[in-house]
Amino acid sequence: MGVAVHRPLARVPENGLKFAVGLMLVTFGTFWAGEGIGIDWPGGDAVLFVLLAAYVAASLAGVWAVRAMLRSRRVPLAVSLGD
C-alpha cells in the first residue's frame, strides 16, 4: 500500500496538507470539547461544517493580515528574544 500511494502523496504540498490537517483537528477538538462539557450542538453533527467554515475564514484572514503586515514592513522578519 505504501509503495502505491507514495508517488501521489509526494506531490501534495506539505504546508497545505499541514494547514488542512490543523483545521480538521481544531474543528473536531472544538466539537468534542463541547460535547464533553455538555453542549447540545444545534444541528447535531452537521455543526462540524459550520465550525470548519468559521475556522477556515478566521485562519485565512489571519494569513492575509500577516502577509499585508510583512509587505508593508510593519513587522520585522526576525524578532529578538530576551531584550
Side-chain angles (χ1 to χ4, degrees):
M1 179 87 159
V3 173
V5 298
H6 173 69
R7 189 167 301 243
L9 287 179
R11 289 188 235 138
V12 175
E14 186 176 348
N15 288 338
L17 184 61
K18 289 177 185 178
F19 189 76
V21 169
L23 285 169
M24 287 189 293
L25 287 172
V26 170
T27 300
F28 280 110
T30 302
F31 181 78
W32 289 328
E35 290 277 312
I37 62 172
I39 293 176
D40 186 25
W41 294 104
D45 293 346
V47 78
L48 284 167
F49 295 108
V50 175
L51 289 172
L52 180 61
Y55 284 128
V56 167
S59 61
L60 290 177
V63 169
W64 175 80
V66 169
R67 284 183 179 171
M69 284 189 290
L70 287 174
R71 268 190 244 116
S72 68
R73 299 200 187 258
R74 282 188 259 154
V75 175
L77 292 177
V79 176
S80 171
L81 298 176
D83 284 339

